[in-house]
Amino acid sequence: MNAIAFNTLDARPFVLDRLPAANDAGVRMHYGRDEEIFGEGEASRHVYKVISGAVRTYRVLSDGRRQIVEFHTTGDVFGLDGDRSHALSAEAVRETTLQVVRRDAFLQEQGAEPAIQALLKTFHRAQAHMLLLGRHTACERVAAFLLDFRERAGGVDAIDLPMSRQDIADYLGLTIETVSRTFTQLQAAHQIDLVSCRRVILRNPAALERIRE
Amino acid sequence: MNAIAFNTLDARPFVLDRLPAANDAGVRMHYGRDEEIFGEGEASRHVYKVISGAVRTYRVLSDGRRQIVEFHTTGDVFGLDGDRSHALSAEAVRETTLQVVRRDAFLQEQGAEPAIQALLKTFHRAQAHMLLLGRHTACERVAAFLLDFRERAGGVDAIDLPMSRQDIADYLGLTIETVSRTFTQLQAAHQIDLVSCRRVILRNPAALERIRE
DNA sequence: CGCAGTATTGACTGGGATCAAGGAGCGTGG
DNA sequence: CCACGCTCCTTGATCCCAGTCAATACTGCG
């Protein structure tokens, strides 16, 4: 009853709350492109692990600017933003499958060791991203972004970006035009190859690392 | 013996490692202005709680730019940056007393609940700071900074900043000149009063909140 | 084919960085 | 007590990177 009363806008948490409590391993959920996973201000009852696909967590400021806080890809855990309620919103960047577990179960399982490890990892990512946003040029940000996704792809030099230019811009604290221009520059410098706008080949990762610092 | 071999540059960890293991509540340490608490790359064996004073955690980039990741004041816990070794350096902003506990003891105590809470708090601060650095004007950053320290001071409108303009600049991702100019602007707009360069009175916190958004 | 959404490119603007000079605070020593 | 030197802060002038505005090109899809 509670779940119905507090979730009239969204059927998903309702479904989850009805799951047998014994099922601590959680449940798999599927989301389509741009589908909302949770919204800022919603009660924070679950933790999510990416099985496949990609997720963006973000915040929209009062003037409409959007800051993407993090992209989560296969294996990443997210949803621990905020205390009792979410400080961020989360959406699927593309077709995405998630493992969803109850937040309290996740934080308490097995001496909380997995929870702490996941939290530490997310925290360290956030710190790294903060350092990037501090005082870096557009070129440094884009280079760091590409190298990050190269690493996530297992070190392969051909990357398929799941997200749009707008997503990248909002993640790096730049405009879509600046991101586009920077890609073009890097291509002109023979450091990347833009096969299509979503498919990038890193021609010279070492040079990108030098740019990133 | 281990402790001596691996800490010839710094006597402090040596001292800590020699403490009886039974003393899980930790030990108090005192640091003078600008004194290093730990350095980037050092083994990450302890967690710190601020008893009094203020601490900055930061990273110096290869070109000399410094990004201050966070200021820690009374009650804050820090030192969980990095996994086995510190990703950041930490220094006392001014005379500071810390409670120092062993990292493993801290992460395992009482079902790890306090550790998770401390970690979540630091994480949420990092997220908030990231949002600030994303795409905000100098004015918005400074306003947010002042309101943050107002809150830390318990909501009093007269704030004594423990740190220099350079520290503030490196924290907000601005230059010292821009920080100074912004303070001057806010004073001209009667929103703050600069009694001295370290002592600020917030004349109109509501206006600052509007600037911050 | 035409349409809509997305990406690229160009011209111009502006906020903050940079370079440079001057002022304020403060401890030290005569 | 003041003079001196040092550090930190403030102010001014100019420059440049990225934002803004605008037009064009690309892409996928009905």
Side-chain angles (χ1 to χ4, degrees), chain B residues 149-170:
Chain B
F149 273 83
R150 176 177 187 253
E151 196 179 329
R152 295 193 198 217
V156 189
D157 286 342
I159 307 171
D160 274 305
L161 299 173
M163 74 291 285
S164 69
R165 290 289 184 272
Q166 187 65 62
D167 281 342
I168 300 172
D170 290 345

Side-chain angles (χ1 to χ4, degrees), chain B:
Chain B
M1 288 296 273
N2 241 345
I4 295 171
F6 289 100
N7 289 287
T8 47
L9 292 173
D10 189 343
R12 269 176 285 109
F14 165 65
V15 171
L16 285 167
D17 285 340
R18 296 195 114 212
L19 287 172
N23 189 2
D24 273 0
V27 57
R28 291 214 170 178
M29 296 286 293
H30 193 81
Y31 297 83
R33 191 168 169 273
D34 294 334
E35 193 177 341
E36 180 177 88
I37 297 158
F38 56 76
E40 186 185 334
E42 269 183 24
S44 180
R45 276 192 290 254
H46 304 102
V47 176
Y48 306 80
K49 182 170 186 172
V50 181
I51 303 301
S52 70
V55 171
R56 56 177 172 256
T57 51
Y58 66 94
R59 188 163 201 175
V60 177
L61 307 174
S62 57
D63 63 352
R65 286 175 297 189
R66 178 183 67 161
Q67 175 69 50
I68 291 181
V69 170
E70 199 52 74
F71 289 115
H72 304 280
T73 53
T74 304
D76 290 346
V77 171
F78 67 97
L80 287 166
D81 60 292
D83 199 17
R84 300 211 152 269
S85 65
H86 285 292
L88 307 174
S89 302
E91 288 175 355
V93 173
R94 56 184 175 92
E95 293 283 309
T96 296
T97 303
L98 302 176
Q99 186 81 8
V100 188
V101 301
R102 298 183 59 87
R103 183 190 163 101
D104 47 10
F106 177 75
L107 289 178
Q108 282 153 21
E109 69 178 311
Q110 307 163 43
E113 190 55 26
I116 288 183
Q117 290 314 314
L119 191 46
L120 278 174
K121 187 177 174 189
T122 317
F123 173 49
H124 296 154
R125 273 254 177 83
Q127 276 192 346
H129 193 200
M130 187 193 305
L131 288 167
L132 187 67
L133 292 176
R135 284 223 278 154
H136 285 86
T137 63
C139 206
E140 289 166 348
R141 295 181 198 209
V142 170
F145 172 79
L146 289 172
L147 289 169
D148 181 15
F149 273 83
R150 176 177 187 253
E151 196 179 329
R152 295 193 198 217
V156 189
D157 286 342
I159 307 171
D160 274 305
L161 299 173
M163 74 291 285
S164 69
R165 290 289 184 272
Q166 187 65 62
D167 281 342
I168 300 172
D170 290 345
Y171 178 60
L172 297 178
L174 300 169
T175 59
I176 185 175
E177 294 96 329
T178 300
V179 171
S180 186
R181 269 186 260 268
T182 307
F183 273 124
T184 306
Q185 276 173 237
L186 288 173
Q187 187 168 34
H190 305 292
Q191 285 163 6
I192 65 169
D193 238 14
L194 286 165
V195 182
S196 76
C197 65
R198 295 287 180 107
R199 186 166 181 78
V200 188
I201 294 172
L202 308 192
R203 286 273 168 238
N204 195 346
L208 291 176
E209 267 162 28
R210 250 172 285 128
I211 291 172
R212 176 181 61 175
E213 293 175 346

Side-chain angles (χ1 to χ4, degrees), chain A residues 52-186:
Chain A
S52 70
V55 171
R56 57 177 171 257
T57 51
Y58 66 93
R59 187 163 202 175
V60 177
L61 308 174
S62 57
D63 63 352
R65 287 176 296 191
R66 179 183 68 160
Q67 176 69 49
I68 291 181
V69 171
E70 198 53 71
F71 289 116
H72 303 281
T73 53
T74 304
D76 291 346
V77 171
F78 68 97
L80 287 166
D81 59 292
D83 201 16
R84 299 212 152 269
S85 65
H86 286 292
L88 307 173
S89 301
E91 286 174 356
V93 174
R94 55 185 177 93
E95 294 284 307
T96 296
T97 303
L98 302 176
Q99 186 80 10
V100 189
V101 301
R102 297 182 59 87
R103 182 191 164 102
D104 48 9
F106 178 76
L107 289 178
Q108 282 155 21
E109 69 178 310
Q110 306 164 43
E113 190 57 24
I116 287 183
Q117 290 314 314
L119 190 47
L120 277 173
K121 187 179 173 188
T122 317
F123 174 49
H124 296 153
R125 273 254 177 82
Q127 275 193 345
H129 193 198
M130 187 193 305
L131 288 167
L132 188 66
L133 292 176
R135 279 222 282 154
H136 286 86
T137 63
C139 204
E140 289 166 348
R141 294 180 200 210
V142 170
F145 172 79
L146 289 173
L147 289 169
D148 182 14
F149 274 82
R150 176 177 187 253
E151 196 178 331
R152 295 193 199 217
V156 189
D157 286 342
I159 307 171
D160 273 305
L161 298 173
M163 73 291 284
S164 69
R165 291 287 185 274
Q166 187 65 63
D167 282 343
I168 300 173
D170 290 346
Y171 178 61
L172 298 178
L174 299 170
T175 59
I176 185 175
E177 294 96 328
T178 300
V179 171
S180 187
R181 268 186 260 270
T182 308
F183 273 123
T184 306
Q185 276 173 236
L186 289 173

